[in-house]
Amino acid sequence: MPSITYIPVIHKGEKRILIKFAYDQTLANKLRQNTDARWSKTHRAWHIADNPENRIKCKLTIEKDTLIEKTIVPIEIEKKTTLKKPIVSLSVLIKKPKQEERIVLSYKTNKEITTAIRQINGIKWCGINKHWHLPCTKAHYEGLQNAIANFAIIEDEALSQYLIKKKNGLIINKNFLQKDKANIFFNISTHNLQLLTKTVEQLQLKVYSTSTIKTYKNEISIFLQTLKNKKADGLQTEDVRRYIHYCIEKLALTENTIHSRLNALKFMYEQVLGHEKFFVTIPRPKKHLQLPKVLGEEELRRLFAAPTNLKHKAILFIAYSAGLRVSEVINLRLQDIDRERQQLFIYCSKGKKDRYVRLSPMVLDVLEQYYKMSTVKPVNYLFEGLVKGEPYTIRSAQQIFTDAKIKAGIIKTVSFHNLRHSFATHLLEKGVDVIFIKEILGHFDIKTTERYLHVRRNVLINIDSPLDDLYKGKIII
């Protein structure tokens, strides 16, 4: 039987138990048959509801007074129960220009782990990618084990896969191998791999954002894998058209994914290979108009009251008060706060646009209290993480919202970004012109802002249903 690791997680607002084990179809079938097991693409593992019944099935410890009296079929598996220990995931990074292999550490914010790994010889912090890394050697790996073995679990599956494939001569490029997307380049021919490299270089020369480069690289890689040994630069428009039809009909990709893939391929063929108007005859699928989800005023009050940490409260306040994206909140610098003019300067946000937004007097009071009560004062960014001078992580800010939402008893499927949607919708309801809201939010296209016109409460609730007029003043039953 394979060794199994159990990890408690919050997945989409629910308490779940992550079940990790080496690939075993029999065990996976048994999980599906005997539990509510679902597959998580994010964690690359099965997960089940964290309840007494499932804990009994998996032979995990549980309080007697919370047992459910029910006949069950135990899952007979050899286990390694590690519910209380945090996980440190390892992957590999190839550092340029010397092509040095480094082990990258990924884990949820944990002071005990950070303090321990700082003592390891050769450990370094990457301020750009926000992770610790150390030389990829047996000695350093053992040093890491010795440093954190007593209070953390090392997940080294991605590292092991990399070393095995390197030993077998399968490493054909020098790229960051993430644990859930490792080696998407292995099935690409050498010729097409050179084209992919050239495309990434062109994106970097045009100074596209990191997220755009990552998206385009992944979309083009999937396309090139499909081609196998066929040269991408030898295809005609009709060939690509058939491929897009295959993605829609056979792969059932969403409209947004199709648009993303078309944008990536259009860049490669037109900007890199120089084929002008290569995509003119390829139609784009019509996108689903998604209306933004909005939190009500009472829900927002409960949300803001939920955090007890003043820093966490300030992050939520400032996001809603100015309609900021989560990336804009964490990248706010101390120098961006203009107390005299009561403004916030948003530097190089999405689309590389600078803009000013109003700083609420109430939020300014909260920020001043937060700064005054902070034991470790921020020196560069308004909200800094464990490393002094470095900004808070996006994931940490999103977790603050999730925790506050659960504590506030909000059952809507909303995320941190819905604070921005709520801000825009509430401004519209107060009579602010959509043109001004467009500038406040930093939208390029007025059509993006006009989505909020569809969810204005003061318009929708004042439209009477014809059914009400039909039975006005009459007894229905």
Side-chain angles (χ1 to χ4, degrees):
M1 284 293 188
S3 176
I4 296 178
T5 301
Y6 299 94
I7 308 164
V9 295
I10 299 296
H11 186 71
K12 295 183 178 179
E14 297 180 30
K15 289 185 177 181
R16 310 286 293 180
I17 298 176
L18 210 62
I19 304 175
K20 294 201 169 187
F21 54 88
Y23 176 78
D24 188 312
Q25 190 60 49
T26 303
L27 181 55
N29 291 338
K30 193 173 290 187
L31 270 173
R32 288 199 297 268
Q33 292 168 4
N34 294 283
T35 69
D36 64 333
R38 299 200 299 264
W39 178 257
S40 169
K41 291 182 179 180
T42 304
H43 297 287
R44 301 289 296 173
W46 293 97
H47 58 95
I48 59 176
D50 190 356
N51 57 38
E53 183 179 356
N54 282 336
R55 286 183 174 236
I56 294 171
K57 290 179 180 180
C58 294
K59 300 180 181 179
L60 302 178
T61 56
I62 187 168
E63 297 292 334
K64 288 184 179 180
D65 57 348
T66 60
L67 285 175
I68 296 176
E69 296 296 327
K70 185 176 180 180
T71 304
I72 56 171
V73 180
I75 302 176
E76 296 178 358
I77 47 180
E78 182 184 337
K79 64 185 182 300
K80 179 171 63 177
T81 306
T82 55
L83 284 172
K84 295 183 179 179
K85 291 186 179 181
I87 302 296
V88 178
S89 300
L90 307 183
S91 53
V92 179
L93 169 70
I94 309 297
K95 290 211 64 163
K96 296 180 179 180
K98 296 181 180 180
Q99 300 299 317
E100 180 188 2
E101 293 175 319
R102 306 286 293 184
I103 298 175
V104 174
L105 284 63
S106 302
Y107 59 93
K108 289 185 178 180
T109 303
N110 186 299
K111 291 183 179 180
E112 190 175 17
I113 294 175
T114 302
T115 302
I117 65 176
R118 277 179 170 172
Q119 309 305 316
I120 301 174
N121 184 34
I123 193 82
K124 291 183 180 179
W125 171 255
C126 177
I128 297 175
N129 295 314
K130 315 301 180 193
H131 60 232
W132 293 97
H133 58 94
L134 69 161
C136 187
T137 67
K138 184 178 179 180
H140 286 91
Y141 176 79
E142 291 175 347
L144 174 64
Q145 282 186 315
N146 294 334
I148 66 173
N150 293 332
F151 51 84
I153 299 297
I154 294 178
E155 183 186 81
D156 57 4
E157 183 181 349
L159 174 62
S160 299
Q161 288 180 1
Y162 173 84
L163 295 175
I164 291 170
K165 287 173 180 176
K166 179 184 176 183
K167 182 179 179 180
N168 294 330
L170 295 175
I171 301 298
I172 59 176
N173 72 304
K174 308 291 185 179
N175 286 284
F176 192 155
L177 306 179
Q178 297 188 25
K179 60 181 179 181
D180 56 341
K181 292 184 178 178
N183 302 325
I184 61 172
F185 308 100
F186 284 169
N187 295 324
I188 301 176
S189 68
T190 303
H191 178 84
N192 287 338
L193 191 59
Q194 290 173 350
L195 176 58
L196 176 62
T197 302
K198 190 175 180 180
T199 303
V200 173
E201 289 175 352
Q202 185 76 350
L203 287 164
Q204 292 169 339
L205 287 170
K206 286 181 170 287
V207 200
Y208 275 60
S209 69
T210 303
S211 61
T212 300
I213 293 175
K214 181 181 177 181
T215 300
Y216 278 25
K217 184 170 68 172
N218 288 338
E219 297 292 358
I220 294 171
S221 297
I222 294 170
F223 170 69
L224 296 179
Q225 281 181 327
T226 306
L227 296 182
K228 297 181 180 178
N229 292 324
K230 195 169 185 177
K231 294 182 179 180
D233 49 8
L235 299 184
Q236 301 300 317
T237 301
E238 187 57 33
D239 297 320
V240 180
R241 182 190 178 96
R242 286 199 301 272
Y243 170 74
I244 296 300
H245 184 262
Y246 164 77
C247 290
I248 296 172
E249 286 296 308
K250 301 297 183 182
L251 301 183
L253 300 182
T254 64
E255 293 90 340
N256 287 337
T257 303
I258 295 295
H259 275 266
S260 178
R261 193 156 299 178
L262 278 169
N263 290 338
L265 295 178
K266 181 179 173 67
F267 182 90
M268 183 179 74
Y269 277 102
E270 296 184 359
Q271 300 290 325
V272 179
L273 295 175
H275 299 336
E276 295 184 4
K277 299 181 179 180
F278 195 77
F279 282 77
V280 171
T281 59
I282 302 179
R284 287 176 176 264
K286 186 176 181 180
K287 284 186 177 181
H288 168 221
L289 176 61
Q290 290 183 308
L291 295 181
K293 294 180 180 179
V294 177
L295 291 168
E297 292 178 356
E298 182 55 39
E299 288 174 319
L300 286 169
R301 289 190 188 95
R302 297 204 311 269
L303 183 81
F304 296 144
T308 54
N309 185 300
L310 191 55
K311 180 180 182 179
H312 296 175
K313 196 182 290 287
I315 287 174
L316 297 180
F317 267 129
I318 203 167
Y320 171 73
S321 70
L324 302 183
R325 302 176 178 94
V326 63
S327 58
E328 294 169 349
V329 172
I330 65 168
N331 285 308
L332 279 172
R333 301 164 297 180
L334 293 174
Q335 67 192 51
D336 296 332
I337 302 172
D338 190 334
R339 291 175 175 80
E340 185 176 339
R341 300 184 64 184
Q342 293 190 337
Q343 287 183 333
L344 286 173
F345 176 63
I346 311 301
Y347 169 74
C348 197
S349 63
K350 186 176 180 180
K352 297 189 177 181
K353 281 182 68 176
D354 294 346
R355 73 181 191 277
Y356 282 99
V357 295
R358 185 172 183 272
L359 174 60
S360 160
M362 189 187 79
V363 172
L364 180 58
D365 289 341
V366 172
L367 292 178
E368 287 177 345
Q369 287 298 315
Y370 149 67
Y371 186 86
K372 181 180 179 181
M373 297 177 67
S374 297
T375 52
V376 181
K377 306 292 184 188
V379 295
N380 186 15
Y381 292 92
L382 181 59
F383 304 109
E384 294 184 348
L386 289 176
V387 180
K388 198 169 186 178
E390 296 294 334
Y392 217 53
T393 65
I394 288 179
R395 186 169 295 180
S396 297
Q398 291 170 335
Q399 189 60 50
I400 289 170
F401 176 89
T402 302
D403 293 342
K405 171 194 155 187
I406 294 171
K407 190 175 180 181
I410 298 171
I411 60 174
K412 290 180 180 176
T413 306
V414 288
S415 65
F416 193 104
H417 197 71
N418 291 100
L419 290 174
R420 178 174 164 89
H421 293 328
S422 302
F423 165 81
T425 304
H426 294 163
L427 282 184
L428 271 174
E429 291 175 351
K430 293 179 185 298
V432 179
D433 193 281
V434 70
I435 297 295
F436 296 121
I437 298 175
K438 169 184 175 293
E439 296 303 317
I440 294 171
L441 296 179
H443 287 160
F444 279 98
D445 192 342
I446 188 65
K447 290 181 180 179
T448 307
T449 318
E450 286 175 345
R451 291 184 304 158
Y452 299 107
L453 293 171
H454 297 281
V455 292
R456 284 187 301 176
R457 184 184 60 180
N458 58 353
V459 172
L460 295 176
I461 64 175
N462 289 326
I463 300 175
D464 293 330
S465 168
L467 180 67
D468 297 329
D469 293 332
L470 190 63
Y471 286 96
K472 197 170 187 177
K474 297 180 180 180
I475 298 175
I476 299 175
I477 298 177

